[in-house]
Amino acid sequence: MSYVDEIISQVTEKNPAEPEFHQAVREVLDSIRPVIEKNEEKFRKDALLERLTNPERQIKFRVPWVDDNGNVQVNTGYRVQFNSAIGPYKGGLRLHPSVNLGIIKFLGFEQIFKNSLTGLPIGGGKGGSDFDPKGKSDREIMAFCQSFMTELCKYIGADTDVPAGDIGTGAREIGFMFGQYKRLRGVFEGVLTGKGLSFGGSLARTEATGYGLLYIVDELLRSHTYSIEGKTVVVSGAGNVAIYAIEKAQQLGAKVVTCSDSTGWVYDPEGIDVAALKEIKEVKRARLTEYKNYRPNSEYHEGRGVWQIKADIALPCATQNELGIEDAKALVANKVIVVAEGANMPTTEEATKYLQDNGVFFIPGKAANAGGVATSALEMSQNSERLSWSFEEVDKQLKGIMEGIYHNIDDAAKRYGYEDNFVVGANIAGFEKVLDAMNAQGIV
Ligand code: NDP
Ligand code: 2IT
């Protein structure tokens, strides 16, 4: 059996009941076969893939907090410090009832290669909790965040591990966590990114993931003699990534006609009203059913459905495995040109293959949504030098990083004879730098 296949089956066997982690490992290892096969005996001897697929450390802890009725609630907290070969662990904290160790491991594993693709010195990690922020009061959110950080603060630091936001963790949660870290550790340092602008946050971090997604899509289209102007776009999700993807798509002259949340989706044939969406989601923290109050000509539907709408560009920006084979068939039948993942692993393996086999340009999340973590790394730089850069400066760097990622993954795909296969290109390009660093640092 090849070394890659051996490790894929070992990971599946040794990490039972973690299907998303298996999926992420399968996708990466399958892509890097050409690199591994060139030097298989050495890598096997060094147990390279065993080390790559085993987190350096995984922390699991109890998070007790008191709700508004005086009842004690207990959640589970996680931080998986996956790989620090190229820098301190870096990656978000997800707060969602679906969180379990396997989800955090899949996200942490993806983060290693994503962070490498940014070209910045950040290793891979991820954390979170099965806490559900929906419907909680601000006081309950604070109680949870303080308890979570009371344990987490023992394992993180500006030069060791720097968490940030993800699903369910935005500016409010980062603020509460930062306050508690500072109180317990007695240091004001850049231990979290996505902070408020008044205490070390970076301008453009809020916008970065969504804007970055559009910058890479734009670069891909321009490299293939298309233009984004006038294109129709379908987006899923209505959170941080979706909102700023919609905003930038519109700034670039495209029309975005959908968005969604976990209960339903909106079709607005005249183009999504971003100001209304921000008010509903960022200010009121309400459901998308409200959107019709702002835009009477739009449609609201329960359930899922955005991928059935005809579009040139599809941007899944909600959660993992939200775009399946039937969705891929609908997109292809509607002649979609590009699918780019704003979320982490939103497209199933079967759907990805179908899109690629049918000539759709497919940019995987580790490249397409890397703008968020890249800007987090820029926030770390600003914190280190105790300066704040202008919005224009950060945005310019973000754009440059995303264009650089596009050409890096395109070159890697071509070098190995997989032209236009950006899954292979992203995995190989991300892996090469980590491999070099791991080799140089010996058996650790
Ligand atoms: P938010 O919490 O801001 O928004 C998430 C959105 O997705 C909401 O509209 C939410 O609906 C929907 N959603 C979440 N879970 C589900 C689910 N199980 N089923 C259906 N809909 C769901 O998160 P972000 O926008 O920050 O994150 C979205 C994706 O992007 C995630 O995959 C995340 O890992 C990824 N990502 C985020 C980055 C960042 O900087 N924030 C960076 C790179 C990737 P509802 O409100 O109803 O739950
Ligand atoms: O998935 C991701 O890249 C994020 N949630 C952002 C991580 C970060 O450290 O900014």
Side-chain angles (χ1 to χ4, degrees), residues 195-206:
K195 298 185 290 300
L197 297 178
S198 55
F199 54 98
S202 174
L203 284 159
R205 174 62 187 91
T206 304

Side-chain angles (χ1 to χ4, degrees), residues 94-96 98 106-107 111 114 126 134 165-169 205-206 208-209 236-243 260-263 281 286-288 316-320 322 341-346 365 369-373 376:
R94 178 173 293 190
L95 301 182
H96 193 271
S98 63
F106 119 63
L107 290 163
Q111 201 83 43
K114 179 195 307 192
K126 198 87 186 187
K134 273 203 198 74
D166 194 77
I167 291 178
T169 308
R205 174 62 187 91
T206 304
T209 312
S236 67
N240 174 262
V241 180
I243 289 171
S260 66
D261 65 15
S262 54
T263 48
K281 287 294 175 183
R287 312 305 309 158
L288 272 182
C317 297
T319 193
Q320 64 274 358
E322 54 156 314
E341 297 185 319
N344 285 306
M345 209 170 75
N369 69 40
V373 75
S376 279

Side-chain angles (χ1 to χ4, degrees), residues 38 62 93 128 152 165 205 230 263 301 430 435:
K38 269 198 199 161
R62 185 173 71 206
L93 297 170
L152 187 67
R205 174 62 187 91
T263 48
H301 302 271
L435 171 66

Side-chain angles (χ1 to χ4, degrees), residues 220 223-224 404-416 418-422 425-426 429:
L220 164 86
S223 302
H224 289 82
I405 292 176
Y406 172 72
H407 291 289
N408 189 9
I409 68 177
D410 184 46
D411 288 349
K414 285 177 179 152
R415 246 192 297 129
Y416 282 87
Y418 288 85
E419 182 158 357
D420 287 340
N421 185 333
F422 303 114

Side-chain angles (χ1 to χ4, degrees), residues 1 31-32 36 39 41 44 59 99 114 126 134 148 157 197 271 282 334 349 360 401 404 406-407 417 428:
M1 202 192 277
S31 297
I32 61 172
I36 299 298
N39 227 335
E41 277 328 297
R44 197 194 286 270
I59 300 145
V99 164
K114 179 195 307 192
K126 198 87 186 187
K134 273 203 198 74
F148 182 80
L197 297 178
E282 294 183 340
N334 282 328
E349 286 165 293
V360 176
I401 289 168
Y406 172 72
H407 291 289
I428 290 183

Side-chain angles (χ1 to χ4, degrees), residues 101-312:
L101 183 61
I103 298 268
I104 300 299
K105 280 166 69 180
F106 119 63
L107 290 163
F109 186 69
E110 287 285 291
Q111 201 83 43
I112 303 169
F113 309 98
K114 179 195 307 192
N115 292 2
S116 166
L117 285 173
T118 66
L120 301 167
I122 40 178
K126 198 87 186 187
S129 173
D130 57 0
F131 174 75
D132 186 358
K134 273 203 198 74
K136 302 287 190 298
S137 68
D138 282 353
R139 196 211 59 81
E140 289 177 318
I141 298 283
M142 183 172 74
F144 169 82
C145 289
Q146 291 184 340
S147 180
F148 182 80
M149 185 51 85
T150 299
E151 189 59 29
L152 187 67
C153 77
K154 300 168 190 169
Y155 310 102
I156 61 176
D159 293 317
T160 48
D161 184 354
V162 183
D166 194 77
I167 291 178
T169 308
R172 176 181 55 169
E173 292 72 20
I174 292 292
F176 290 145
M177 290 182 194
F178 184 79
Q180 184 73 349
Y181 178 88
K182 182 164 57 75
R183 185 180 186 197
L184 291 171
R185 296 282 296 264
V187 271
F188 193 113
E189 61 173 1
V191 66
L192 293 164
T193 58
K195 298 185 290 300
L197 297 178
S198 55
F199 54 98
S202 174
L203 284 159
R205 174 62 187 91
T206 304
E207 293 83 356
T209 312
Y211 279 22
L213 176 63
L214 269 294
Y215 292 147
I216 198 170
V217 167
D218 189 38
E219 188 66 10
L220 164 86
L221 287 175
R222 285 192 293 114
S223 302
H224 289 82
T225 67
Y226 288 97
S227 161
I228 200 163
E229 215 178 321
K231 296 285 185 293
T232 302
V233 183
V234 281
V235 167
S236 67
N240 174 262
V241 180
I243 289 171
Y244 293 95
I246 296 171
E247 182 168 283
K248 183 51 75 177
Q250 292 181 344
Q251 286 173 9
L252 295 175
K255 181 157 84 165
V256 184
V257 293
T258 67
C259 63
S260 66
D261 65 15
S262 54
T263 48
W265 60 285
V266 161
Y267 174 57
D268 188 340
E270 291 158 20
I272 295 289
D273 178 343
V274 182
L277 190 61
K278 284 184 184 172
E279 182 158 319
I280 295 165
K281 287 294 175 183
E282 294 183 340
V283 182
K284 296 185 178 169
R285 300 182 188 274
R287 312 305 309 158
L288 272 182
T289 39
E290 295 240 337
Y291 187 81
K292 228 177 153 18
N293 301 335
Y294 297 79
R295 302 278 279 190
N297 291 337
S298 68
E299 296 170 17
Y300 175 80
H301 302 271
E302 295 283 316
R304 331 170 40 251
V306 298
W307 313 126
Q308 306 301 315
I309 300 293
K310 183 169 170 48
D312 306 301

